[in-house]
Amino acid sequence: MGKEKPGFLTPKAIANRIKAKGLQKLRWYCQMCQKQCRDENGFKCHAMSESHQRQLLLFAENAGKFMDDFSSQFHREYINILKRRFGTKRVNANIVYQEYISDRNHVHMNATRWFSLTSYVKFLGRNGICHVEETEKGWFVTYIDRDPETLRRQEEAEKKKKLDLDDRQRQELFLQKQIERAKEKQDEEKHKATELVKPADEVIKISFKKTAPIFKVPEDKNHPKTSKSDENEISCIKTEPQDEENKEIFSDVSKFEKKNEEQTKQDSDKKSEKSAEKRKLSTLDEILVTEEKKREKINRKDYWLHKNIIVKVITKKLGEKYFNKKGIVTDVIDLYTGVVKLIESGTVIKLDQAHLETVLPALGKKVMILNGAYRGEIATMEDINQDKFCATVSIASGPLKGKLVKNVQYEDISKLNQE
């Protein structure tokens, strides 16, 4: 009798299925037949089989067509994973490749026109499909999304941003004109001082009357109140004191009343100053303050790098030769990373904004406002307050030209490269 066939649930059958399920060695894989062999003997048997020989004959007739098909399929699936999984983020090319080969039915790279992942990454860079960058950790790629729908959305977003900017500029111009008009109106209302003009035949008469000072008797709770007529008699004394004692009393009372008058005058001056300050904050000023707060909220971001500004390297990870060196930001990548060209050596390095700090110029030099209400504006350095770690700048161009911006933090401005 013949030997019985092993069952489906025998340990050997289960072990074979587990081995076949995962990834096997690439050298025992036949791309033309799309068959994975588990060992060298199995691959040798497959290579001698009739079906494999027929596939080789087909490949020999048109080798270029098969190679192009495999290459295009590999490229399509790799880009599809890069686009859908990582989008336009910067990622290591090998991470994308590992995710791609996790599918056991993928097209192997040895069946394509590229001999290695490096050559394929260079191909992506040459054809403008991705931004390619070689680092110590390997090759990094950033997908360039040229999808018509994506481009349309970007154009719409840029148009909306431009419209919002135009509206803001028009509103600022309108407010500026209103401020100038209000200032002109205030200048017209002010009275100008003129010289005293007196006719030659006019006679000035001055008379001095000797009167006694007026005082009031302080009230006493224990003392009975006097009548109205008595109060008038006490408060309206017009007779001159006769003896020395009365003179002293009247002099003390006059001093007391002078102090009271001075105190009341000071209080009234303070009240008038406070009311003047309140009057200064008119409706127009309130609108300006509200607009500035709104602009500050919109333009305050967690990234500040801009092109053509001068920055300083503050990280020691690159070595002492780069520490505290100044450079010019030539390009900004992903909002947070900048390409910096060092001024002294001309070396170009790429750094995160956390490893850079702003540089303050001398008074009168140009700066760029990097963050806050006036983000992106070019200004002139007017003053530096070292105690509060802030500066005062004036806008140098645009509809807000000449506007003075106070209490700008050091990290919100940086020196502008004017070379």
Side-chain angles (χ1 to χ4, degrees), residues 12-168:
K12 188 174 182 180
I14 294 171
N16 288 339
R17 284 198 300 274
I18 291 171
K19 289 177 183 177
K21 188 176 181 181
L23 293 175
Q24 304 293 318
K25 288 189 177 181
L26 184 60
R27 62 177 179 172
W28 296 330
Y29 181 81
C30 177
Q31 185 65 56
M32 282 297 297
C33 303
Q34 296 182 2
K35 181 177 176 59
Q36 176 71 57
C37 300
R38 285 203 294 271
D39 52 23
E40 190 174 357
N41 186 43
F43 186 74
K44 183 178 178 182
C45 293
H46 170 72
M48 294 172 63
S49 66
E50 188 180 350
S51 60
H52 180 72
Q53 296 297 327
R54 283 198 301 268
Q55 292 294 333
L56 287 182
L57 289 173
L58 290 173
F59 180 79
E61 289 176 2
N62 197 350
K65 179 179 177 297
F66 282 100
M67 188 74 76
D68 291 340
D69 289 343
F70 291 142
S71 300
S72 61
Q73 188 178 348
F74 174 85
H75 173 66
R76 184 170 60 252
E77 291 176 359
Y78 186 92
I79 292 297
N80 192 36
I81 291 174
L82 177 62
K83 180 170 65 173
R84 296 187 182 279
R85 174 73 175 79
F86 302 98
T88 54
K89 294 179 182 177
R90 180 172 171 266
V91 63
N92 194 315
N94 194 44
I95 292 174
V96 185
Y97 182 70
Q98 293 298 326
E99 189 163 338
Y100 167 70
I101 65 174
S102 62
D103 178 15
R104 68 191 304 267
N105 295 318
H106 68 277
V107 176
H108 291 72
M109 184 170 281
N110 61 356
T112 65
R113 71 180 75 166
W114 303 290
F115 298 105
S116 63
L117 184 61
T118 301
S119 59
Y120 175 65
V121 170
K122 289 179 179 178
F123 164 79
L124 294 178
R126 283 196 304 271
N127 288 272
I129 300 168
C130 298
H131 287 300
V132 177
E133 180 188 357
E134 186 180 10
T135 64
E136 295 176 356
K137 295 181 179 180
W139 287 90
F140 282 80
V141 292
T142 306
Y143 179 66
I144 303 171
D145 196 350
R146 290 194 175 89
D147 185 55
E149 185 66 23
T150 306
L151 294 174
R152 186 184 62 79
R153 285 199 300 269
Q154 288 177 355
E155 287 177 1
E156 288 178 357
E158 287 177 1
K159 284 180 182 178
K160 186 178 178 182
K161 187 178 178 182
K162 189 176 180 182
L163 286 172
D164 292 341
L165 187 64
D166 292 343
D167 291 340
R168 183 169 66 84

Side-chain angles (χ1 to χ4, degrees), residues 276-312:
E277 287 177 1
K278 287 181 181 178
R279 282 197 299 273
K280 281 179 185 176
L281 196 63
S282 61
T283 308
L284 186 61
D285 295 332
E286 288 177 1
I287 292 170
L288 284 172
V289 171
T290 307
E291 285 295 322
E292 189 155 353
K293 286 181 180 177
K294 185 179 177 183
R295 198 185 303 121
E296 172 74 21
K297 188 176 180 182
I298 293 170
N299 291 336
R300 176 65 62 177
K301 310 288 184 184
D302 61 344
Y303 51 89
W304 53 269
L305 282 176
H306 285 71
K307 287 184 181 180
N308 209 30
I309 61 170
I310 296 176
V311 293
K312 186 190 286 185

Side-chain angles (χ1 to χ4, degrees), residues 322-336:
Y322 296 122
F323 182 62
N324 274 342
K325 299 297 182 183
K326 294 180 182 179
I328 303 165
V329 179
T330 58
D331 194 14
V332 178
I333 302 168
D334 295 338
L335 303 176
Y336 299 94

Side-chain angles (χ1 to χ4, degrees), residues 406-417:
K406 298 180 180 179
N407 298 328
V408 183
Q409 298 299 317
Y410 286 169
E411 60 266 20
D412 290 345
I413 55 174
S414 190
K415 185 178 179 181
L416 190 69
N417 179 34

